[in-house]
């Protein structure tokens, strides 16, 4: 067993420690942005009697507006800093005390400035060309770094010297342009904190207005009621407002501006409106002015002129003309075709002088006055002088009259040629003012004398004509004309000379052809005093008689060749001579000239003449036949083509033709036409003509000045066509019962169509037809009222004298004049029997009358009392009414028979018993045959009024109901 031999350790007695105090601040550090607020919490562990906060300056913090201290409980205290400033930074201390114990804690507060844009307007405006300073003031601590961007791209000032970032971080643009306009970005960065912010700035460039004058000088004419427009257009940004104005504009009834003020209208322009007008444009960038000049011109007006009266050889007669106008007008004088003006026209205001070549006319002009002076007045100076004032605006003209009094002046041809028996006039033309009297003398004796019958005198205000018909050589010689007025008198001798026949022309040569020749000649040396009227050409074969032809001479034309005398044969010797013929007779003939015609050959080319027609793209080519080469020309061949195209198909024209018409040619195209004459020997050389067609018209010309367009003409034609269709349809409706109108009437108005009526007619035919193979064919058709014709003619109603049927061209059987039998419909089935009896009776009657109609002897017994007639055979009227089975109205009879006589004239049946005839007579005693007189009597009433007719057949309007027409009765071919 072990024992504790170690000494016993005992713990030492300890005294109880005093309680400690601990202080902790949360957060331990603080960063506050300027303007922000923040609090700090001081927590104490242990019993503390006091908890105080001390500022960085060491002073105990007493609660204020910016710093507030609050103790929430015994162990915590809160320090709140409101709206921190830079001075709020430093070390803040929290001290806790308890009796003799104390504890503290410290927190460092740092104050910094966040990026702030104090002055960075979002819209900044500059004028184009200015040095722009784009403002962007940034406040931060530490100071921020500024970057500039334009339209999202960073601005590098090194690349564009116009851009510069100033010390205050503003962006400067030197000479800013409109292209620099747009969105700029001012971006600020604090690298220590990684803080970034930006501002978008819109830069607007205002452009100073520019003015474009539409017309720097506007010209207007005064006093004619016109208006003048002055206009200017302004450009710039913002859009400028422009005003055209004059400092003295006040009457706004005379002036008016448009909405934007760019156009000034001056009404009723006068001379006082002339001057300079200012166009002013203004916007934010400034204002600009330009001037517009209004020039007002005045049309010339002649304000003064004077008429003058002078005597012949008077000195210095002056005509004066004064005119107004702006610019100053130039004044000219004219007398007939002669014009007098200033020598210089460069300046209207500079006086100038014009002097005629003979020195007799002097024109002086000074400003607006011009004078014309005649140094020595002659009778030929009398008349109207025209003064004309002219400037660039217009002109004005007025006449003034110079009256010159002078003695008579006799004019006219001195010699007159004629021959015995041919009247001739000697003309004494007198110029005089006042008018002169004219007297004719011969050998001192005034004409006409008592013993002269071949002389007559005719007078006009300016001439006297002496008509002489020479009877002998004594009538030729000298005649005196004397004219006298109050100024003086003048006499002149005229000679009447005996005319001679012309001398012989000179034949210079003959150009022969195969069947003709052309003669070249010189005109006669003397025409005998009167004009050559024609040339006579004689030619013959040697030893044969002369053949002659005369060629007329057109007035005023000279001839040196004749061609076209024919009747010469090929390869034959001839001689030719010529003579000139005037009014007195045939002149001497030239010596005969021999020539020999050429052998038979191809013809000569014709002479062509082309004429473009009025259409513009059509051409008429005329030709004149030349030598036919000794054989007749068979035809002409015509070919044509555009200038740069192929030949069109050849046209062959008969030999007697002298032209061809080419149509539907291309517009504005050059064409060539070849015409060749051909005879048995061959073709001539082509005659060629070229021409160009007209330009194609750009508009359809108005027809008759009506001004109707193509659409209007087409519309009128369509309306006319529709009216024509309607007219045709209405005509078809009334005449043939067909067409669109008939369809409407049948479907909507309940009218019976033509098909129903045809059906009824067929039923009517069936009532009269029993056996078509044996019995006569009876065609029945209704007689309806004819519709009125377009010319208003009324339909003709049938009467006793009206033929009711027409001959059938398909049969040789005569038309029966009467139908003396009828059918009875008293019992069922009797209608068919009676119809058959009627047809049989009609057949018998027709056979009885056939020989009489054909001009032969009777082949059977004729009915008693029947008479022959030469009237045309027509079909009778058949009464189909229920009351009367058959009624016959025959045409005109040869003799007028009374009704009883007609009843007594009973036809005898070829077959059947007498009792049958008597029964038929008793049943149809109402049957009457009425003769047809020349003048139709009024229709007699039917003694037995029938009920409405069967088969819906329309009766005649003027006959008893049920009366129908028989077109024809055909007898059996057997």
């Amino acid at each position: 067993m072990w024992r504790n031999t170690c000494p016993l350790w005992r713990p030492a007695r300890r005294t109880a420690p005093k309680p400690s105090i601990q202080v902790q601040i949360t957060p331990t550090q603080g960063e506050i942005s300027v303007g922000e607020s923040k609090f700090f919490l001081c927590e104490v562990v242990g019993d503390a009697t006091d908890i105080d906060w001390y500022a960085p300056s060491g002073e105990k913090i007493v609660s204020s507006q910016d710093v507030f201290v609050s103790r929430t409980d015994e162990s915590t205290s809160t320090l709140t800093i409101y709206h921190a400033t830079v001075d709020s930074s430093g070390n803040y201390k929290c001290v806790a005390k308890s009796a003799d114990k104390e504890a503290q804690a410290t927190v460092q507060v740092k104050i910094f400035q966040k990026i702030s844009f104090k002055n960075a307007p979002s819209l900044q405006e500059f004028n184009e060309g200015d040095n722009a300073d784009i403002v962007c003031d940034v406040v931060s601590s530490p100071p921020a770094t500024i970057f500039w961007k334009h339209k999202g791209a960073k601005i590098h000032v090194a690349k564009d010297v116009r851009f510069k970032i100033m010390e205050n971080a503003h962006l400067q643009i030197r000479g800013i342009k409109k292209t620099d306009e747009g969105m700029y970005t001012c971006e600020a960065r604090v690298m220590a904190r990684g803080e970034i912010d930006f501002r978008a700035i819109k830069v607007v460039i205002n452009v100073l207005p520019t003015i474009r004058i539409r017309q720097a000088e506007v010209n207007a004419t005064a006093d004619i009621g016109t208006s003048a427009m002055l206009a200017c257009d302004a450009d710039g940004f913002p859009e400028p407002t422009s005003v055209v104005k004059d400092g003295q504009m006040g009457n706004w009834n005379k002036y008016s501006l448009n909405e934007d003020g760019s156009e000034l209208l001056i009404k009723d322009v006068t001379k006082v409106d002339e001057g300079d007008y200012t166009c002013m444009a203004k916007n934010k960038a400034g204002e600009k002015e330009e001037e517009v000049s209004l020039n007002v011109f005045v049309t010339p007006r002649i304000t003064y002129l004077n008429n003058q009266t002078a005597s012949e050889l008077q000195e210095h007669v002056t005509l004066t003309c004064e005119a107004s106008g702006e610019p100053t007008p130039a004044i000219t004088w004219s007398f007939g075709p002669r014009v007098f003006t200033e020598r210089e026209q460069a300046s209207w205001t500079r006086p100038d002088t014009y002097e005629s070549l003979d020195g007799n006319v002097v024109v002086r002009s000074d400003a607006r006055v011009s004078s014309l002076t005649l140094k020595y007045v002659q009778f030929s100076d009398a008349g109207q002088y025209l003064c004309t004032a002219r400037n660039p605006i217009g002109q004005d003209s007025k006449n003034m009259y110079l009256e010159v009094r002078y003695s008579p002046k006799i004019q006219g041809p001195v010699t007159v040629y004629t021959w015995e028996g041919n009247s001739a006039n000697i003309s004494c033309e007198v110029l005089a003012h006042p008018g002169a009297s004219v007297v004719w003398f011969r050998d001192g004796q005034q004409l006409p004398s008592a013993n002269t019958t071949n002389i007559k005198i005719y007078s006009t205000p300016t001439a006297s004509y002496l008509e002489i018909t020479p009877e002998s050589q004594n009538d030729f010689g000298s005649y005196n004309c004397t004219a006298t007025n109050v100024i003086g008198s003048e006499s002149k001798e005229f000679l009447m000379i005996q005319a001679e026949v012309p001398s012989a022309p000179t034949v210079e040569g003959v150009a022969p052809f195969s069947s003709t020749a052309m003669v070249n000649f010189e005109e006669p040396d003397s025409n005998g005093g009167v004009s050559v009227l024609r040339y006579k050409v004689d030619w013959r074969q040697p030893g044969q008689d002369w053949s002659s032809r005369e060629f007329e001479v057109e007035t005023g034309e000279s001839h040196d060749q004749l061609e076209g005398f024919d009747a010469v044969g090929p390869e034959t010797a001839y001689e030719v001579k010529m003579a000139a013929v005037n009014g007195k007779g045939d002149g001497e003939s030239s010596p005969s000239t021999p020539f020999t015609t050429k052998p038979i050959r191809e013809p000569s080319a014709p002479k062509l003449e082309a004429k473009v027609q009025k259409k513009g793209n059509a051409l008429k080519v005329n030709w004149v036949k030349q030598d036919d080469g000794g054989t007749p020309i068979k035809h002409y061949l015509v070919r044509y083509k555009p200038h740069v195209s192929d030949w069109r198909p050849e046209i062959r024209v008969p030999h007697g033709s002298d032209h061809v018409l080419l149509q539907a040619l291309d517009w504005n195209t050059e064409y060539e036409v070849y015409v060749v004459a051909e005879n048995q020997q061959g073709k001539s050389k082509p005659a060629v003509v070229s021409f160009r067609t007209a330009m194609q018209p750009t508009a359809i010309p108005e027809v008759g000045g009506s001004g109707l367009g193509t659409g209007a003409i087409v519309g009128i034609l369509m309306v006319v066509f529709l009216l024509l269709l309607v007219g045709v349809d209405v005509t078809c409706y009334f005449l043939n019962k067909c067409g669109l109108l008939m369809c409407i009437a049948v479907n909507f108005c309940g009218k019976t169509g033509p098909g129903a009526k045809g059906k009824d007619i067929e039923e009517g035919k069936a009532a009269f037809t029993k056996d078509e193979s044996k019995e006569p064919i009876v065609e029945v058709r209704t007689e309806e009222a004819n519709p009125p014709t377009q010319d208003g003619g009324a339909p003709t109603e049938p009467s006793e004298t009206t033929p009711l049927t027409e001959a059938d061209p398909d049969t040789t059987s005569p038309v029966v004049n009467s139908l003396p039998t009828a059918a009875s419909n008293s019992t069922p089935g009797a209608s068919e029997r009676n119809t058959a009896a009627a047809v049989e009776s009609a057949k018998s009657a027709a056979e009885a009358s056939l020989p009489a109609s054909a001009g032969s002897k009777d082949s059977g017994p004729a009915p008693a009392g029947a008479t022959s007639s030469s009237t045309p055979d027509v079909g009778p009227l058949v009464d189909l009414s229920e009351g009367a089975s058959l009624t016959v109205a025959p045409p005109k009879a040869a003799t007028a028979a009374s009704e009883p006589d007609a009843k007594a004239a009973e036809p005898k049946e070829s077959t059947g018993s007498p009792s049958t005839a008597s029964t038929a007579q008793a049943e149809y005693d109402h049957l009457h045959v009425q003769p047809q007189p020349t003048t139709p009597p009024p229709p007699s009433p039917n003694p037995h009024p029938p009920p409405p007719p069967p088969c819906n057949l329309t009766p005649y309007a003027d006959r008893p109901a049920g009366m129908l027409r028989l077109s024809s009765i055909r007898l059996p071919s057997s």
Side-chain angles (χ1 to χ4, degrees):
M1 166 181 301
W2 294 88
R3 290 185 177 182
N4 187 5
T5 62
C6 292
L8 181 63
W9 291 89
R10 298 180 179 177
R13 181 178 297 220
R14 297 180 182 178
T15 61
K18 297 181 180 179
S20 61
I21 300 175
Q22 295 181 357
V23 178
Q24 182 179 356
I25 298 176
T26 305
T28 58
Q29 288 185 354
E31 289 187 357
I32 306 174
S33 174
V34 174
E36 290 185 346
S37 299
K38 195 170 184 177
F39 70 91
F40 297 91
L41 182 63
C42 178
E43 296 178 332
V44 178
V45 179
D47 295 331
T49 58
D50 296 317
I51 302 176
D52 298 316
W53 288 87
Y54 292 89
S57 62
E59 295 180 357
K60 183 180 178 180
I61 297 175
V62 179
S63 295
S64 64
Q65 186 176 358
D66 296 329
V67 179
F68 184 77
V69 177
S70 64
R71 187 169 180 177
T72 55
D73 54 27
E74 295 180 353
S75 60
T76 59
S77 179
T78 302
L79 172 65
T80 303
I81 301 175
Y82 292 102
H83 309 296
T85 63
V86 176
D87 296 336
S88 302
S89 62
N91 293 324
Y92 286 82
K93 184 167 57 176
C94 178
V95 178
K97 295 179 180 180
S98 176
D100 54 351
K101 295 183 180 179
E102 179 180 313
Q104 64 181 11
T106 303
V107 60
Q108 185 179 13
V109 176
K110 296 180 179 180
I111 305 298
F112 66 92
Q113 176 67 56
K114 292 180 66 176
I115 296 175
S116 175
F117 295 89
K118 285 189 174 182
N119 185 18
S122 60
L123 176 63
Q124 300 185 34
E125 297 185 39
F126 306 95
N127 292 339
E128 187 178 32
D130 291 350
N131 291 331
D133 187 2
I134 303 177
V135 177
C136 182
D137 293 333
V138 180
V139 178
S140 69
S141 59
T145 303
I146 306 301
F147 299 91
W148 285 92
K149 296 180 181 179
H150 181 213
K151 298 180 181 179
K154 187 177 180 181
I155 296 175
H156 299 280
V157 295
K159 294 183 178 179
D160 193 339
V161 296
R162 295 188 306 116
F163 290 84
K164 180 180 180 182
I165 299 177
M166 310 295 290
E167 293 181 357
N168 57 1
H170 294 180
L171 177 64
Q172 185 186 69
I173 305 176
R174 289 186 289 270
I176 195 168
K177 303 176 183 178
K178 186 65 177 176
T179 56
D180 297 328
E181 192 175 62
M183 294 300 298
Y184 286 78
T185 303
C186 175
E187 185 178 283
R189 297 181 183 180
V190 178
M191 307 303 293
R193 290 194 303 271
E195 184 181 0
I196 185 171
D197 199 359
F198 68 91
R199 285 290 183 272
I201 301 173
K202 182 179 181 181
V203 175
V204 175
I205 308 302
N206 296 327
V207 181
L208 186 70
T210 57
I211 296 177
R212 290 179 291 105
I213 302 297
R214 297 183 192 176
Q215 191 173 351
E217 290 189 3
V218 177
N219 298 328
T221 303
D223 304 326
I224 60 173
T226 58
S227 300
M229 174 77 71
L230 308 181
C232 63
D233 298 314
D235 295 327
F237 188 85
E239 184 176 353
T241 57
S242 57
V243 178
V244 182
K245 66 179 183 178
D246 183 18
Q248 300 184 2
M249 281 175 19
N251 183 7
W252 289 106
N253 293 326
K254 184 177 180 65
Y255 303 95
S256 64
L257 291 169
N258 64 345
E259 293 181 357
D260 60 1
S262 61
E263 295 179 353
L264 173 65
L265 182 66
I266 306 174
K267 305 172 186 176
D268 296 329
V269 175
T270 61
K271 185 63 178 177
V272 297
D273 295 323
E274 188 175 59
D276 293 333
Y277 291 75
T278 301
C279 175
M280 182 176 65
K282 184 177 182 181
N283 66 2
K284 290 182 179 181
E287 64 180 37
K288 190 73 175 292
E289 292 183 353
E290 293 288 346
E291 287 188 349
V292 181
S293 296
L294 175 62
N295 301 321
V296 179
F297 299 96
V298 181
T299 304
R301 291 289 184 271
I302 294 178
T303 57
Y304 174 80
L305 48 80
N306 65 326
N307 296 322
Q308 291 285 354
T309 301
S311 298
E312 191 174 17
L313 302 181
Q314 180 180 338
E315 297 183 3
H316 296 290
V317 175
T318 301
L319 304 176
T320 304
C321 180
E322 184 176 350
S324 64
E326 186 65 36
T328 302
I331 300 177
T332 59
W333 295 84
S334 61
F335 178 63
R338 191 175 180 185
V339 178
F340 312 101
T341 184
E342 303 92 337
R343 182 176 302 168
E344 298 288 336
Q345 292 288 342
S347 174
W348 293 319
T349 59
R350 185 174 66 86
D352 204 347
T353 301
Y354 167 84
E355 187 172 344
S356 61
L357 295 178
D358 57 5
N360 190 47
V361 180
V362 178
V363 175
R364 290 185 176 91
S365 295
D366 185 5
R368 304 175 189 275
V369 180
S370 179
S371 63
L372 182 145
T373 301
L374 300 174
K375 293 183 179 181
Y376 300 97
V377 178
Q378 302 174 6
F379 77 93
S380 57
D381 295 328
Q384 285 188 344
Y385 285 77
L386 181 65
C387 174
T388 302
R390 183 183 292 106
N391 68 7
I393 305 305
Q395 67 178 33
D396 187 25
S397 299
K398 286 188 179 180
N399 290 311
M400 62 182 66
Y401 189 78
L402 175 61
E403 180 183 359
V404 178
R405 299 166 61 87
Y406 56 94
S407 59
K409 311 294 180 184
I410 297 178
Q411 299 176 341
V414 176
T415 58
V416 176
Y417 289 86
T418 187
W419 56 93
E420 295 179 6
N422 183 63
S423 299
N425 288 332
I426 300 177
S427 299
C428 181
E429 300 174 4
V430 180
L431 299 178
H433 185 71
S437 60
V438 179
V439 180
W440 290 91
F441 297 93
R442 187 178 189 194
D443 299 333
Q445 183 179 1
Q446 185 175 345
L447 299 177
S449 60
N451 56 355
T452 57
T453 60
N454 60 338
I455 296 178
K456 297 179 182 179
I457 297 177
Y458 302 96
S459 298
T460 67
T462 59
S464 180
Y465 302 95
L466 182 66
E467 181 185 282
I468 304 174
T469 305
E471 296 177 349
S472 64
Q473 185 65 34
N474 294 331
D475 293 328
F476 296 94
S478 175
Y479 291 83
N480 177 271
C481 175
T482 300
T484 304
N485 69 357
V486 296
I487 307 298
S489 64
E490 182 173 288
S491 297
K492 189 174 184 179
E493 297 290 330
F494 293 89
L495 294 177
M496 177 170 283
I497 302 175
Q498 174 82 21
E500 302 293 339
V501 296
S503 61
T506 301
V507 177
E508 294 184 338
V510 180
F513 300 97
S514 299
S515 60
T516 186
M518 180 173 64
V519 179
N520 297 316
F521 67 97
E522 287 186 0
E523 294 182 345
D525 294 335
S526 172
N527 58 6
V530 292
S531 301
V532 174
L533 301 179
R534 55 189 174 273
Y535 288 98
K536 181 179 178 182
V537 179
D538 297 329
W539 71 94
R540 69 175 181 179
Q541 296 183 27
Q544 303 293 326
D545 294 335
W546 291 96
S547 297
S548 298
R549 181 179 176 184
E550 292 185 349
F551 296 85
E552 298 292 332
V553 176
E554 296 184 4
T555 304
E557 294 187 0
S558 60
H559 292 267
D560 58 1
Q561 64 180 17
L562 297 175
E563 57 180 327
F565 62 93
D566 42 19
V568 297
E571 294 185 285
T572 306
Y574 290 91
E575 56 183 347
V576 63
K577 61 181 180 178
M578 289 184 61
V581 181
N582 63 7
K584 187 171 183 179
D586 295 355
E588 298 179 0
S589 296
S590 65
S592 61
T593 301
F595 69 94
T596 302
T597 56
K598 293 185 177 181
I600 296 175
R601 59 185 180 86
E602 66 277 359
S604 301
K607 290 185 177 180
L608 301 184
E609 179 186 6
K611 183 177 182 181
V612 178
Q613 302 299 292
K614 292 183 178 179
K615 294 181 179 179
N617 65 337
L619 178 77
K620 184 178 182 181
V621 180
N622 299 305
W623 57 77
V624 178
K625 172 187 172 184
Q626 302 299 303
D627 178 45
D628 60 8
T631 58
I633 292 178
K634 297 191 298 180
H635 47 251
Y636 293 94
L637 303 177
V638 180
R639 299 178 69 190
Y640 68 99
K641 69 169 185 176
H643 198 60
V644 291
S645 183
D646 297 332
W647 289 101
R648 302 294 170 85
E650 187 177 73
I651 302 174
R652 179 169 294 185
V653 182
H655 64 87
S657 301
D658 60 356
H659 74 277
V660 66
L661 184 62
L662 307 178
Q663 303 187 72
L665 304 176
D666 296 334
W667 295 98
N668 192 28
T669 304
E670 188 81 18
Y671 276 87
E672 292 182 4
V673 181
Y674 285 12
V675 179
V676 174
E678 184 175 6
N679 62 7
Q680 292 182 351
Q681 298 299 315
K683 299 178 181 179
S684 69
K685 294 181 179 180
V688 184
V689 64
S690 298
F691 69 97
R692 175 176 288 274
T693 54
M695 297 288 292
Q696 185 174 7
T698 57
I700 298 177
E702 295 182 357
V703 179
S706 64
L708 292 178
T710 304
I713 295 175
V714 172
I716 292 174
L717 293 178
M718 291 179 65
V719 171
V720 173
F721 182 73
L722 290 176
L723 292 176
L724 183 61
L725 289 180
V726 172
V728 172
D729 189 73
V730 172
T731 304
C732 292
Y733 171 78
F734 285 106
L735 294 181
N736 300 325
K737 300 299 180 184
C738 61
L740 180 61
L741 194 59
M742 187 64 194
C743 292
I744 295 174
V746 170
N747 294 328
F748 297 100
C749 300
K751 253 187 152 345
T752 303
K757 184 178 293 187
K759 182 178 179 181
D760 295 337
I761 294 175
E762 291 299 325
E763 292 176 0
K765 288 184 180 180
F768 282 87
T769 305
K770 184 177 181 182
D771 189 355
E772 295 181 356
S773 63
K774 297 180 180 180
E775 301 298 331
I777 299 174
V778 181
E779 294 181 358
V780 181
R781 57 189 173 92
T782 62
E783 182 70 11
E784 296 185 340
N786 292 327
T789 59
Q790 292 181 358
D791 56 359
T796 304
E797 296 294 338
S799 64
E800 271 70 10
T801 60
T802 304
L804 301 180
T805 60
E806 298 176 357
D808 192 341
D810 297 334
T811 178
T812 58
S813 302
V815 177
V816 179
N817 287 327
S818 61
L819 189 60
T821 59
S824 175
N825 48 5
S826 58
T827 59
S831 176
E832 296 181 1
R833 292 193 300 272
N834 294 338
T835 302
V839 173
E840 185 65 26
S841 299
K843 177 180 178 182
S844 301
E847 292 175 351
S849 61
L850 182 59
S853 303
S856 60
K857 295 181 179 181
D858 295 337
S859 58
T867 59
S868 63
S869 174
S870 61
T871 60
D873 296 331
V874 295
L877 291 175
V878 181
D879 188 355
L880 295 181
S881 63
E882 295 179 358
S885 300
L886 190 63
T887 301
V888 180
K892 180 179 179 181
T895 60
S898 62
E899 188 173 349
D901 295 338
K903 290 183 179 180
E906 292 185 44
K908 296 181 179 180
E909 299 289 343
S910 58
T911 59
S913 62
S915 60
T916 304
S918 301
T919 304
Q921 177 65 32
E923 290 180 357
Y924 305 110
D925 55 359
H926 64 279
L927 179 65
H928 61 279
V929 178
Q930 195 172 27
Q932 196 171 34
T934 305
T935 303
S940 60
N942 193 343
H944 304 286
C951 302
N952 295 326
L953 296 176
T954 305
Y956 279 2
D958 60 347
R959 292 194 180 274
M963 193 68 68
L964 303 176
R965 173 185 292 182
L966 282 177
S967 293
S968 61
I969 298 179
R970 299 190 184 94
L971 298 179
S973 58
S974 60

